[in-house]
Amino acid sequence: GADQNTVPKKWDTLIKIAVQIGCLLGQLVLGRLGDKVGRTTIYSASLMIAIITTIASAFSSSMVKGFNVFIVLFIWRVLLGFGIGGDYPLTATIVSEYASPKNRGKLMSAVFACQGFGNVLAPIVGIIVTACFRSSIDNDVRNLDYVWRLIIGLGCIPGVATLYWRLTMEDSKRFQLESAKAAAANADEDMQREKLLAKQHFAEDNAQEDGLLESPNTVLNVALADDKPRRAKTFGQYFSEWRHLKVLLGTSIAWFALDVAFYGINLNSAVVIDAIGFAGDLYQDKPSHFIIRNCLGNIIINILGSVPGYWITVFTIERLGRKTIQLMGFAMLTILYIVLGFAYHKILDKSVAGFIVLFTLAQLFQNFGPNVTTFVIPGEVFPTRFRSTAHGISAAAGKLGAIVAQGGFMQLKDRGGKNQFIDHLLEIFALFMLIGFFVTFWIPESKGKTLEEICDESEEYY
């Protein structure tokens, strides 16, 4: 609590999962709206939501009695996550629909890989702001209140810088064409049905005058059988077929399995930061020194495995293929988590350097593996009319995994003593990686194919 200058555990957990909860909702809602309303309209709206809620988060306070700053911050961060959540399906979909088959995977991966730079830039900003307030913080730790607010507020600058370009973007010709084609197909059927009904009434009147007996629906049924119009399938109709549903399940379960471990492995970040000598001492160090050293430790961790993994994927995805990279990543992570899990304490006791190497390899194969491909694949393997929705569902499954990891497994890591349950958690993560490996076989390879070839968009009609 306050005596140790730390956030109470329950609030620490809630604030950490707040953005994930918001992301899950945003991915589902804004992903669906991206197909219904238009890609760029919702894309701009999601960024504006993120900018406004970032600023609001920075000004969080105990506004009314019974609402402390943590409750207010939790609410704003859920709303912030909602805006961020929309970026997942819409960014992937827009890039996918504008890119050519030969570099589509590379472009989508490069966009996602910028996340790695963000992970490095965030602690750099933390170091700079903390250094600016160093003397104030060391004299009175309560001055950190200004520091965290400023760091959060600065996070809206990249969003503000890109807002103009989002507002001036147009939906891809592919999306406009598919939307118009589906609307025309439905309109044509309705129009043809009206014409046939008019013919039926005319025929019935003539039959009655001539004294002929004929079923009232004969004319309509015969005409529809001779020239049956095509109607666009709904989302439910399209995914009611197993061959299509298994692809959605494959992308969703793979992303869920990955994020359980992706966010869970960060349980070990503190161990690695301490091992490389950047943890500091919360009780002995000056507050500014403790914060700066932890920020430096996070930069080192990201540079060791995370950032290189992203860019290895960018430069190899068009040669190796999405499915190959995902299978390889899940396979390597399964092995690494088994080793780390079953020999966790032995490795730490005998060779801290060995533990750091294994941890770095895990981060490397997360990003040179399923962390990137689970973002790329759903942007390619679904029809244009459902692409944003299906990507949003897949991404939301991933965020559910993140919530399970941060809200569930974080509470188990100290079971039996400090960090005593981490080895068992790593063993559980290995099982999730194995599940991700097997469901990847439900997903088609999209390397070098046009979006129309991958999912045969003629199957959208019946």
Side-chain angles (χ1 to χ4, degrees):
D3 293 339
Q4 298 177 344
N5 297 320
T6 57
V7 176
K9 188 173 182 179
K10 67 174 183 178
W11 291 116
D12 181 58
T13 301
L14 280 174
I15 289 169
K16 282 179 179 176
I17 67 171
V19 172
Q20 311 299 348
I21 293 170
C23 269
L24 188 154
L25 298 173
Q27 286 159 344
L28 293 173
V29 175
L30 298 180
R32 184 59 176 155
L33 290 175
D35 284 331
K36 288 292 186 181
V37 178
R39 316 289 201 225
T40 55
T41 302
I42 305 303
Y43 199 39
S44 301
S46 70
L47 180 58
M48 287 189 279
I49 291 170
I51 291 170
I52 293 168
T53 51
T54 297
I55 295 170
S57 297
F59 286 96
S60 296
S61 62
S62 302
M63 295 185 294
V64 294
K65 188 175 181 180
F67 265 57
N68 63 35
V69 66
F70 295 118
I71 296 174
V72 177
L73 184 59
F74 173 80
I75 293 169
W76 283 122
R77 282 177 68 81
V78 169
L79 294 173
L80 168 63
F82 187 83
I84 294 171
D87 259 33
Y88 280 77
L90 291 164
T91 298
T93 299
I94 289 170
V95 176
S96 173
E97 291 176 354
Y98 269 109
S100 66
K102 67 179 181 180
N103 64 4
R104 186 178 59 238
K106 182 184 290 185
L107 289 176
M108 293 176 74
S109 300
V111 169
F112 193 70
C114 290
Q115 205 178 62
F117 293 138
N119 291 338
V120 173
L121 183 60
I124 290 175
V125 171
I127 290 170
I128 293 170
V129 175
T130 302
C132 291
F133 288 85
R134 184 192 292 269
S135 58
S136 298
I137 296 169
D138 292 342
N139 290 330
D140 186 351
V141 74
R142 287 174 294 185
N143 286 322
L144 273 173
D145 189 60
Y146 302 107
V147 174
W148 73 259
R149 293 178 188 277
L150 190 55
I151 291 171
I152 287 178
L154 290 171
C156 74
I157 292 176
V160 172
T162 59
L163 182 58
Y164 171 78
W165 284 279
R166 288 207 186 187
L167 291 170
T168 54
M169 287 176 68
E170 291 185 359
D171 286 326
S172 68
K173 299 300 182 188
R174 177 182 273 109
F175 173 71
Q176 295 178 41
L177 177 63
E178 285 301 319
S179 298
K181 191 164 70 173
N186 291 342
D188 285 347
E189 187 195 44
D190 293 338
M191 187 180 295
Q192 185 164 344
R193 191 172 289 277
E194 291 295 326
K195 288 180 179 178
L196 291 173
L197 283 170
K199 288 181 181 180
Q200 178 183 347
H201 293 314
F202 178 76
E204 286 175 353
D205 291 341
N206 288 341
Q208 288 175 359
E209 290 176 6
D210 297 339
L212 297 174
L213 295 175
E214 192 168 313
S215 171
N217 293 319
T218 300
V219 176
L220 180 63
N221 291 339
V222 170
L224 284 173
D226 291 341
D227 187 19
K228 185 177 181 180
R230 301 177 75 213
R231 189 171 185 85
K233 290 180 181 178
T234 63
F235 182 90
Q237 288 170 330
Y238 182 81
F239 286 102
S240 65
E241 299 176 38
W242 171 247
R243 56 183 172 150
H244 299 144
L245 179 61
K246 73 176 182 179
V247 178
L248 181 58
L249 288 174
T251 57
S252 300
I253 296 172
W255 207 332
F256 172 83
L258 167 76
D259 273 12
V260 168
F262 183 78
Y263 287 88
I265 193 65
N266 291 328
L267 297 170
N268 289 288
S269 294
V271 176
V272 176
I273 290 174
D274 183 53
I276 59 179
F278 282 88
D281 190 317
L282 180 63
Y283 306 104
Q284 300 297 324
D285 290 349
K286 291 182 178 180
S288 62
H289 182 263
F290 177 81
I291 293 167
I292 289 172
R293 289 194 68 79
N294 269 271
C295 287
L296 286 169
N298 276 289
I299 293 171
I300 292 169
I301 284 177
N302 277 288
I303 291 175
L304 279 175
S306 184
V307 173
Y310 280 117
W311 291 97
I312 292 172
T313 301
V314 172
F315 293 114
T316 60
I317 194 166
E318 297 298 356
R319 280 180 289 173
L320 298 178
R322 291 74 160 144
K323 194 170 178 178
T324 301
I325 291 175
Q326 184 158 308
L327 286 169
M328 176 196 65
F330 273 130
M332 290 300 299
L333 288 169
T334 301
I335 295 168
L336 287 167
Y337 287 145
I338 287 174
V339 173
L340 281 168
F342 286 96
Y344 182 80
H345 296 292
K346 290 180 181 178
I347 295 172
L348 276 178
D349 291 341
K350 293 186 177 180
S351 175
V352 172
F355 180 84
I356 293 173
V357 169
L358 290 171
F359 178 84
T360 301
L361 286 173
Q363 286 208 312
L364 178 72
F365 283 106
Q366 280 175 342
N367 293 316
F368 178 36
N371 190 38
V372 175
T373 55
T374 50
F375 174 82
V376 173
I377 292 171
E380 299 180 311
V381 296
F382 301 110
T384 300
R385 288 194 305 114
F386 309 133
R387 186 168 292 125
S388 179
T389 303
H391 194 290
I393 291 171
S394 304
K399 283 296 169 276
L400 181 61
I403 293 168
V404 168
Q406 292 187 318
F409 292 141
M410 278 286 285
Q411 312 310 309
L412 296 174
K413 75 182 186 74
D414 294 328
R415 187 176 179 183
K418 185 174 177 59
N419 293 333
Q420 290 303 303
F421 202 72
I422 286 183
D423 54 342
H424 299 302
L425 290 179
L426 289 167
E427 293 162 12
I428 294 170
F429 296 158
L431 177 60
F432 277 103
M433 295 302 94
L434 194 60
I435 291 170
F437 177 84
F438 284 115
V439 298
T440 299
F441 288 103
W442 287 347
I443 302 169
E445 177 57 71
S446 51
K447 180 182 71 170
K449 298 178 181 177
T450 66
L451 296 177
E452 290 73 21
E453 288 174 331
I454 297 166
C455 48
D456 188 6
E457 301 202 347
S458 64
E459 294 181 6
E460 291 181 64
Y461 299 88
Y462 66 95

